Amino acid sequence: MAADTTNILIVGVGGQGTLLASRVLAQAAVAQGHDVKVSEIHGMAQRGGSVVSQVRYGPKIFSPIIKRGDADVIMAFEKLEAARYLPFLKKGGLMVINTDRIDPLPVMSGEVAYPEKLEEKIARVVPKTISLDATGIAAGCGTSRAANIVLVGLVGRALGFPLDALEEAVRGLVPQKVVDINIKALNAGWNYVDNDLISMVRD
Amino acid sequence: MKSLMIGNMAIARGAYEAGVTVAAAYPGTPSTEIVENISRFEGVYAEWSPNEKVALEVGFGASLGGARTLVAMKHVGVNVAADPLYTLSYTGVNGGLVLVSADDPGMHSSQNEQDNRGYGRFAKLLVIEPSDSQEALDFTREAFDLSEQYDTPVMLRVTTRLCHSQSLVQPGEKLDRPLKEYKKNEAKYVMLPGFARLRHLEVEKRMAALREYVEESPLNRIEWGDRNIGIITSGIPYQYVKEVMPEVSALKLGTVNPLPEKLIRSFASQVKKLYVVEELEPVIEEQLKAWGIEVTGKSVLPRTGEYSPELLEELLLGVPAPSGYQLDESIPARPPLLCPGCPHRGVFYVLKRKRLTVTGDIGCYTLGALKPLGAMDTTLCMGASIGAALGLEKARGPESARKTVAVIGDSTFVHSGITPLIDTVYNRGNTTVMILDNGTTAMTGHQDHPATGRTITEEETSRLDLEALARAVGVKRVRKVDPLRIGELEKALDEELSHDGPSVILATRPCALIDKSPKPSLYIDEDKCKGCKICIKLGCTGVYWVQEEKKARINPDLCQGCGLCIDVCKFDAVLERGAN
């Protein structure tokens, strides 16, 4: 794939708002003049299953899906899903993990254990790992449901998007009555990254 | 100004621009958003039809009436609509008629992965296939012109990755197109054998004309590159080819039936090694082989599942996919589940406990087949549960009907469960049918249907009364239960199963995702919980097991307060917060 293409894999559990996150990033990429493709999953997989959406942008995009080992960024809305999709991350890529834990059925029923200290194990393998409690941060902004937008703020900044492009995308895509909360969440994610982190990510 | 659109939105926009004024569909992933979006355009009549056959028949009438008409369905929906489709090929159209077939390679949300390009050859249709959202719009517009020009229904064949991928689209102007005149023409529209024989000759003439057209069609193009390798491809696989082999020569087909023989021969003769890259069936490859063209396809590429860029890299270029990062850890699977608070859960819990044979159907409730509920024996196609139960009974004797229940959703029942219920009454079956009436078509995203009493545009309309309908077809025992009340459910099942003759149990409660009524906040009293895990066996994400304490607990963020766990707990450990 072309070196000037950026691939973002967004993974989580059905119902966590991965679709909206992918649409905001995609819209911001369009505003920057990129060619953009987004791949979404609708239907049965949305019922609490493992879900993935994919955003690709650059001068010219063909495939709507990202190759294994070719994602520049993985935005994981849940720890277990971060681990599941790890093989899609490019060597040197950025892994952003929301430290939420949502037990899948085999864990809830006590059949198998939820792997311990996943974010630490991932960070040991992936040098560029950022773990954060995006759900908690979003709750502080008014609703835990805006965790997706917190992550968009962080990843958007790491990828060099201007804040106003992200804000405009959020305004265009979320329902009117929750715009303010989501703008707050976006900024919280944006401000989560300090300059050291940014230089690590862009290194 | 270009904007991002999923393929389905682009198809809707293309139809609107082409001057479509009638659109019909039954919801089905990945096709649902097409007519949903069309319904939002000004000046278009759109409907949810009870099933795909009716949708296409409405489309036939609308086309005859002079309207440009779009009918959309998922791949298996075309099977339901196949009866009108084959003969529609004979009658031809008046206003342009486009049938969108949304196939699902990889079965993201389907019971099979049939390749509907096959219908093109069988029903003698022009089949065209776009490969991104811009083409989805452009091809849809073009399809209406072609339909009228060649007097044929046109199939626009798309796949999940096209339907649900967004890419940039430049919308165009809406055509100002007056309604065509309706003229009675029995020789064209009444398919009596005498007329149909003549129409078949017309169909063959049309196919000959279409074979000429596809040679020059702007929907096909050659992209010359390195002539050592030539690839013939179409649809989404074209994008994968360009992604991993941008340097090769490619013949990108927009018309997949009929195929442009001269164009293909010319391309084949100018490249050293020829491949066909097509998902699922070797539709293009077999035609090439029949023409005596040497080509490689399914001998190296799979006939099953969805393709991907890394699959082509690996199988065509011999490049192993990059390994990426690896974690030495086993990752528990996360299968889809019934939602917390889902009214179907109680039904499957009871069916499992009673060890009944359950013939199932298509919808969210098919998830009742998965652990820990695991209470379903069959799922075949829309509406099959009732006929299958009758067949089981006829094979194994009436006693078996006392241990068998057919389970079907409200929307699926209206789609194709009514005729097998009539069969059950007519042929003296004893089936107990449970209609899981959650008041919506939930799986595809909550579309209305005749029994909700609302149209696609959410206007009030006459509501189909399922209870009255069951009685009207001759079922004497019809009753309603609340699927979240275990005792009520068990009593109803015991009584209906032991009774001779067919019965219908309507398990009525709105889908948890649309039910806005206030619900209690629940918790588990740790002193009362004995760790029996009966609540865990409900398979609800709202309640989880704490291994260290050997007790169950409720997750207040997920629990919907449906109270099913209160019902099953033998120790009264599940309590309402704030209640005394």
Side-chain angles (χ1 to χ4, degrees), chain A residues 1 23 37-40 42 44 47 56 63 67-68 78 81 84 90 92 102 105 108-109 115 121, chain B residues 33 109 161 164-166 242-243 310 313 322 325 329 332 334 336-337 371-372 442-443 533 545:
Chain A
M1 293 187 196
R23 289 180 173 191
K37 282 191 178 167
V38 185
S39 188
E40 309 173 344
H42 302 207
M44 185 167 265
R47 296 285 177 262
R56 307 190 66 216
S63 168
K67 279 196 301 186
R68 213 178 150 84
E78 200 271 351
E81 298 312 310
R84 191 186 315 283
K90 191 185 277 178
I102 302 177
L105 194 68
M108 281 189 323
S109 59
K121 287 175 187 165
Chain B
E33 302 84 0
S109 203
R161 277 300 165 195
H164 292 161
S165 289
Q166 299 196 53
K242 295 300 285 185
E243 187 75 40
E310 59 262 50
E313 260 185 352
Y325 290 107
E329 185 81 47
R334 191 186 298 276
L337 297 166
K371 277 204 251 181
M443 180 90 274
K533 278 184 149 182
W545 180 246

Side-chain angles (χ1 to χ4, degrees), chain A:
Chain A
M1 293 187 196
D4 43 11
T5 297
T6 303
N7 297 320
I8 312 168
L9 196 74
I10 302 168
V11 303
V13 178
Q16 278 192 304
T18 50
L19 224 62
L20 177 64
S22 63
R23 289 180 173 191
V24 171
L25 285 167
Q27 198 52 51
V30 171
Q32 299 303 105
H34 294 291
D35 188 21
V36 179
K37 282 191 178 167
V38 185
S39 188
E40 309 173 344
I41 289 294
H42 302 207
M44 185 167 265
Q46 284 183 296
R47 296 285 177 262
S50 166
V51 290
V52 50
S53 56
Q54 325 190 23
V55 179
R56 307 190 66 216
Y57 62 88
K60 174 71 188 164
I61 304 298
F62 289 105
S63 168
I65 57 176
I66 299 168
K67 279 196 301 186
R68 213 178 150 84
D70 216 23
D72 297 281
V73 181
I74 293 184
M75 264 169 89
F77 286 34
E78 200 271 351
K79 293 186 283 189
L80 195 62
E81 298 312 310
R84 191 186 315 283
Y85 289 97
L86 188 62
F88 277 84
L89 191 62
K90 191 185 277 178
K91 287 279 160 77
L94 169 67
M95 171 65 94
V96 177
I97 309 173
N98 178 20
T99 52
D100 248 13
R101 166 177 166 168
I102 302 177
D103 289 358
L105 194 68
V107 172
M108 281 189 323
S109 59
E111 251 175 82
V112 293
Y114 191 101
E116 293 294 320
K117 296 180 179 159
L118 264 179
E119 61 267 51
E120 287 170 34
K121 287 175 187 165
I122 293 170
R124 243 175 272 149
V125 183
V126 181
K128 294 182 191 172
T129 297
I130 301 175
S131 296
L132 73 161
D133 176 16
T135 307
I137 295 170
C141 299
T143 172
S144 58
R145 295 186 55 79
N148 53 356
I149 301 300
V150 171
L151 294 169
V152 165
L154 190 162
V155 168
R157 184 168 181 191
L159 289 170
F161 283 106
L163 181 59
D164 56 357
L166 293 166
E167 284 188 348
E168 201 180 317
V170 167
R171 284 201 180 89
L173 285 160
V174 307
Q176 197 52 47
K177 60 181 180 193
V178 291
V179 163
D180 290 347
I181 288 177
N182 279 286
I183 293 291
K184 226 170 135 185
L186 182 80
N187 278 275
W190 178 272
N191 291 321
Y192 186 83
V193 207
D194 60 23
N195 287 333
D196 290 350
L197 264 175
I198 287 289
S199 51
M200 172 197 95
V201 167
R202 296 195 185 152
D203 184 17

Side-chain angles (χ1 to χ4, degrees), chain B residues 161-375:
Chain B
R161 277 300 165 195
L162 184 289
C163 295
H164 292 161
S165 289
Q166 299 196 53
S167 58
L168 288 169
V169 174
Q170 175 68 58
E173 293 293 315
K174 181 187 179 314
L175 283 178
D176 191 19
R177 198 190 154 281
L179 193 70
K180 286 176 89 174
E181 199 188 336
Y182 168 68
K183 280 191 217 124
K184 180 175 167 159
N185 184 352
E186 62 274 25
K188 188 167 186 284
Y189 298 125
V190 180
M191 285 302 93
L192 280 166
F195 292 142
R197 280 180 208 117
L198 296 172
R199 286 305 302 173
H200 191 183
L201 298 176
E202 293 300 316
V203 170
E204 296 308 323
K205 274 190 218 159
R206 173 182 84 210
M207 289 314 287
L210 282 168
R211 279 190 287 272
E212 294 284 314
Y213 158 74
V214 296
E215 297 293 352
E216 304 297 330
S217 170
L219 307 187
N220 302 320
R221 66 168 184 266
I222 293 176
E223 296 171 5
W224 287 115
D226 176 359
R227 299 196 183 203
N228 282 310
I229 296 182
I231 295 186
I232 300 177
T233 186
S234 70
I236 283 286
Y238 161 80
Q239 305 292 356
Y240 302 154
V241 167
K242 295 300 285 185
E243 187 75 40
V244 301
M245 290 175 274
E247 69 291 345
V248 303
S249 294
L251 166 52
K252 181 191 176 299
L253 294 174
T255 65
V256 293
N257 190 69
L259 288 168
E261 184 178 354
K262 284 181 212 143
L263 183 67
I264 288 171
R265 281 190 189 282
S266 154
F267 180 74
S269 69
Q270 295 178 69
V271 297
K272 219 164 162 182
K273 169 93 180 153
L274 184 67
Y275 290 95
V276 171
V277 177
E278 55 186 329
E279 283 175 323
L280 303 174
E281 297 304 314
V283 174
I284 300 171
E285 181 185 350
E286 281 181 352
Q287 182 61 74
L288 263 62
K289 285 183 170 161
W291 288 332
I293 298 170
E294 196 181 320
V295 59
T296 303
K298 297 298 172 186
S299 58
V300 294
L301 294 165
R303 284 173 96 116
T304 55
E306 204 182 14
Y307 285 6
S308 64
E310 59 262 50
L311 180 122
L312 297 191
E313 260 185 352
E314 198 182 330
L315 298 178
L316 295 181
L317 300 175
V319 180
S323 57
Y325 290 107
Q326 301 293 333
L327 204 60
D328 186 22
E329 185 81 47
S330 100
I331 308 296
R334 191 186 298 276
L337 297 166
L338 294 175
C339 305
C342 176
H344 301 330
R345 181 170 283 107
V347 171
F348 290 103
Y349 175 78
V350 169
L351 293 172
K352 164 109 186 235
R353 208 160 73 171
K354 292 193 161 299
R355 295 167 191 274
L356 296 168
T357 298
V358 178
T359 55
D361 229 297
I362 308 272
C364 290
Y365 50 92
T366 315
L367 293 170
L370 300 182
K371 277 204 251 181
L373 296 164

